[in-house]
Each structure stands twice: as structure tokens, then as C-alpha cells.
């Protein structure tokens, strides 16, 4: 079997390491941090086969322009002469059409369902208690317009074989009687699930260490040597690593790694925020998505995790408190009994979702280097698609037939 080097220790990198180890490969993971600071930890923990619509849609194009003028809006693009952003924007506009949306639905659904099944299997393994709960997710809406859009989405989901149901406000109340609602209704994504990302990542790290997988932290890749169409040495400052196969699973840092390789990995970091609130008397048992506000709320670890926003910008450490206030202020409009306070800046988590311009992940071998596989660009669905991506990476490296058709995800697509 192959000696495999994975660059990146987020959910995609660690899932790849897990399935590659299971397939008999010798695996080393390099991470620029300490494995605890990736986007895989602070997300909403949602497993979402319901999300078969890519970010690049005609509606997102027009809505996004309006949101750019609202400092508390769910979506923002910081104007910049950054060529990566300009290239990304041009590709986004090119792909934001009904045909692309239609073509993307099946591959995204197949990848999501594969990933969900793998999480179900993993949760049954010894040492993998990460609070997987299969109660679905409720997409609440307050306006007739949003209700019509969500009903159409549910109908499309059912065509794809997904379990979705449109509920009235009264039907929503019966599911969670103690949760006060001010909504017109919701779509119950019964096909969805949720888990604790912190517990999942901790379990994966513990398993991999115990299995002899080499997890090397604080190893930022600074140079990559290539020759004869293959990746050779990978250098982390003055330390060199070699392998038969190299995997780039570096999330929003992937363009920088691509630059070292002389290839263009077109994606932008989409900053999102989350914060946790303890809840002594939990009324919410099913995760919620707020349709108009684009906010996610997940019961997690004895409390609620609130998350949202998408800021497309260069990687940075700024916390935009107006965006956090936008999350906080939206919640009581749907749930009058839930009134989270604006958290202190030190209690706000932020991470960068690696967002491809067409809304589809990059999964597959590079055309330029025969021993290079790319696994990144999952946007807001990194956790949801992580297990499935890891399994596909293992199949690619092992030379076995992939579990699903990955043609839509090839890294060199136009």
C-alpha cells in the first residue's frame, strides 16, 4: 500500500486519514496549527442532505448585492482588487444559473447521503460517541415568499428521494411544545441530522493517534518541490517530507498551497461566526435554520450553538460585531422566548469556509501531478460532507471504484 501525506488536519483531512488507514495505507498528516483551530470545530454540526442547492444561484446573485449594503446582513463581500476575488466573482456570475443548479443537485445529494451513512456507521464504532441525533432540521420561515420558495425546494428534494415535509406553525408547535414560535411554518428536513463537531474531531484524533497515524502539528508547509509531473518533497520550514501520494485538504488555505504547486485552486474564505449559550431548560430539541435570516441554531452539549453569516474576504482575525449582532437580533423574531445576549468578543468563534465559485467541492486527482489529490472547497458543508469526502479520497488513492460519480467535483473543471 502507499505512503500518503495529507496536508491539512480539519474534518476532510482527518476523515481521509481515517479511511486511508482502514484501507491499509501508511498515513502522515501535517497541520499548520494544533488540530484544534479549524473550521471543523465551531460549525453548527449539521448533516444536511437537504442542502442540494449550490451557493451559485441566480437568487443569491441578486440577494447578495442587496445584502452588501446592510452591515448586519447574512452575506457580505468586502470590495477588493484581490485577483483571486475577481476571478472567483467572474466564475460565480458565470455559474449562477438555473442549469448549473439543476446539474448540481444529484451529485451534491449523492455525496451528502454517502457522508451521512458513513457518520451513522462511524457512530456505532467503539470510541466514536459524537452525539449523532437523527431528528432532522426545521427550516423556519416568516414570510409567504420564503414559504413558497421552501415548499418548491421541498418538492425538488422529494424528487431526489429526500424525506421533507412542509409544516404549518401548529404542526411545528406539536414537535416542540415548549418552544415559543412566531413563524408562518417550516419545512422539516427529516433526512438531516446533527452531531457535536468538537466530540467528533476529538474522537477522530484519538483514534488516529492510537492507530499509529502520524499527526504532526505546527507544520506549516512553506515549499513544495515537483518534478516529472509528480509532487516530490514537501517542506515545512526546514523539515522535509516525502510520500507516494499527497493530498491537499487545507480548506481556505488551499489557494496558498496551490500557489506552491503552481496550480490555481479557485476558492474564497467565507468567514462565519458562532457562539454557545447554556440552556438549563431546553425547549429546542430539533436544530433550526431561519430562512430569511440565514441563521443556524443547534442543540449541543447541554446548550444552544448559534451561527451564521458569510463574509468573503482575505483570511483575517477581525471580528465584525455588527454581523454577530445580526445573528442575535434575528433569533427572537422567530422564537420570542429565546433572547441570547450579544456575546463578549472573547466568546465568539470564527472560522473560514472554503467556498468554491460554483458551490461544489473539489475532490479528485490533479491533472498536473499524477500523485496529487485535492479535497477542499466544501463551503458551509465541510462537516456534512467530510466523511464522504474522506472515503472518496481513500478510494481514489487505492485505485478502487468510487462510491459515487465524482465527475462534477474534479478539481480541474472549467
Amino acid at each position: 500500500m502507499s505512503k500518503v501525506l495529507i496536508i491539512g488536519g480539519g474534518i476532510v483531512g482527518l476523515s481521509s486519514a481515517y479511511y486511508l488507514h482502514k484501507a491499509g495505507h501508511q498515513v502522515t498528516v501535517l497541520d499548520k496549527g494544533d488540530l484544534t483551530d479549524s473550521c471543523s470545530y465551531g460549525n453548527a454540526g449539521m448533516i444536511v442532505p437537504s442542502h442540494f442547492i449550490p451557493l451559485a444561484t441566480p437568487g443569491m446573485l441578486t440577494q447578495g448585492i442587496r445584502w452588501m449594503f446592510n452591515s448586519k446582513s447574512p452575506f457580505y463581500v468586502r470590495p477588493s482588487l484581490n485577483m483571486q476575488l475577481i476571478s472567483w466573482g467572474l466564475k460565480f456570475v458565470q455559474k449562477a444559473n438555473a442549469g448549473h443548479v439543476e446539474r448540481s443537485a444529484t451529485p451534491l445529494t449523492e455525496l451528502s447521503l454517502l457522508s451521512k451513512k458513513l457518520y451513522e456507521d462511524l457512530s456505532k464504532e467503539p470510541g466514536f460517541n459524537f452525539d449523532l441525533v437523527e431528528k432532522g432540521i426545521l427550516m423556519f420561515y416568516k414570510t409567504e415568499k420564503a414559504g413558497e420558495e421552501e415548499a418548491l425546494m421541498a418538492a425538488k428534494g422529494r424528487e431526489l428521494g429526500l424525506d421533507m415535509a412542509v409544516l404549518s406553525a401548529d404542526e411545528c408547535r406539536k414537535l416542540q411544545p415548549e418552544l415559543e414560535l412566531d413563524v408562518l411554518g417550516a419545512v422539516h428536513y427529516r433526512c438531516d441530522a446533527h452531531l457535536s463537531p468538537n466530540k467528533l474531531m476529538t474522537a477522530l484524533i484519538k483514534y488516529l493517534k492510537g492507530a499509529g497515524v502520524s499527526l504532526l502539528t505546527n507544520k506549516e508547509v512553506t515549499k513544495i518541490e515537483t518534478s516529472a509531473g509528480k509532487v516530490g518533497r514537501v517542506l515545512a520550514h526546514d523539515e522535509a517530507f516525502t510520500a507516494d501520494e499527497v493530498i491537499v485538504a487545507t480548506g481556505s488555505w488551499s489557494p496558498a498551497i496551490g500557489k506552491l504547486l503552481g496550480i490555481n485552486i479557485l476558492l474564497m474564505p467565507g468567514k462565519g461566526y458562532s457562539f454557545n449559550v447554556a440552556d438549563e431548560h431546553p425547549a429546542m430539541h430539533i436544530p433550526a435554520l431561519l430562512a430569511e435570516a440565514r441563521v443556524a441554531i443547534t442543540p449541543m452539549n447541554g446548550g444552544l450553538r448559534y451561527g451564521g453569516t458569510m463574509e468573503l474576504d482575505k483570511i483575517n482575525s477581525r471580528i465584525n460585531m455588527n454581523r454577530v449582532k445580526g445573528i442575535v437580533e434575528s433569533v427572537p423574531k422567530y422564537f420570542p422566548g429565546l433572547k441570547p445576549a450579544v456575546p463578549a468578543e472573547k466568546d465568539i468563534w470564527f472560522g473560514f469556509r472554503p467556498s468554491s465559485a460554483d458551490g461544489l467541492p473539489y475532490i479528485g486527482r490533479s491533472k498536473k501531478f499524477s500523485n496529487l489529490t485535492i479535497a477542499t472547497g466544501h463551503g458551509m458543508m465541510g462537516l456534512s460532507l467530510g466523511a464522504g469526502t474522506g472515503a472518496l479520497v481513500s478510494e481514489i488513492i487505492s485505485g478502487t471504484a468510487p462510491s459515487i460519480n465524482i465527475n462534477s467535483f474534479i478539481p480541474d473543471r472549467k
Side-chain angles (χ1 to χ4, degrees), residues 159-196:
E159 290 177 12
L160 292 166
L162 300 173
D163 188 359
M164 297 182 172
V166 179
L167 306 182
S168 67
D170 285 341
E171 288 172 319
C172 292
R173 292 185 182 97
K174 289 176 182 177
L175 287 175
Q176 302 177 106
E178 297 178 0
L179 182 63
E180 187 179 355
L181 297 179
D182 183 6
V183 299
L184 287 182
V187 173
H188 192 182
Y189 299 149
R190 294 170 178 156
C191 53
D192 291 356
H194 71 282
L195 54 78
S196 169

Side-chain angles (χ1 to χ4, degrees), residues 109-121:
T109 300
E110 289 178 347
L111 179 54
S112 285
L113 291 175
L114 170 64
S115 202
K116 183 187 177 189
K117 176 63 168 60
L118 291 170
Y119 280 129
E120 291 169 346
D121 294 343

Side-chain angles (χ1 to χ4, degrees), residues 302-367:
L304 295 174
R305 175 169 290 180
Y306 296 89
T309 84
M310 173 74 95
E311 291 181 34
L312 293 182
D313 192 6
K314 292 181 179 179
I315 292 173
N316 62 79
S317 59
R318 294 187 301 267
I319 292 180
N320 187 330
M321 289 303 295
N322 271 342
R323 303 252 166 239
V324 179
K325 289 175 184 176
I327 295 172
V328 169
E329 292 170 3
S330 70
V331 175
K333 295 176 182 177
Y334 295 78
F335 313 115
L338 294 181
K339 298 177 181 178
V342 176
E345 194 167 307
K346 65 180 179 62
D347 296 325
I348 299 169
W349 176 92
F350 64 87
F352 300 94
R353 296 93 154 223
S355 304
S356 68
D358 62 5
L360 299 174
Y362 299 115
I363 307 170
R365 286 197 178 276
S366 164
K367 286 183 179 178

Side-chain angles (χ1 to χ4, degrees), residues 2 58 60 62 89 167 246 306 328 376:
S2 299
M60 191 63 185
T62 54
L167 306 182
V246 177
Y306 296 89
V328 169
T376 187

Side-chain angles (χ1 to χ4, degrees), residues 12 16 84 87-88 91 95 108 111 247-251 254-255 264-268 354-366 373-379 385 389 392-393 396 406-414:
V12 172
S16 298
Q84 185 83 355
S87 298
W88 188 96
K91 174 62 75 67
K95 293 294 183 178
L108 278 176
L111 179 54
I247 299 163
V248 173
T250 42
S254 298
N264 181 29
I265 302 176
L266 184 59
L267 58 82
M268 285 296 296
S355 304
S356 68
D358 62 5
L360 299 174
Y362 299 115
I363 307 170
R365 286 197 178 276
S366 164
T373 297
I374 296 171
T376 187
H378 296 74
L385 303 179
T389 300
L392 290 171
V393 166
I396 291 167
I406 61 173
N407 288 342
S408 297
F409 308 131
I410 57 173
D412 303 286
R413 63 183 181 265
K414 298 299 182 182

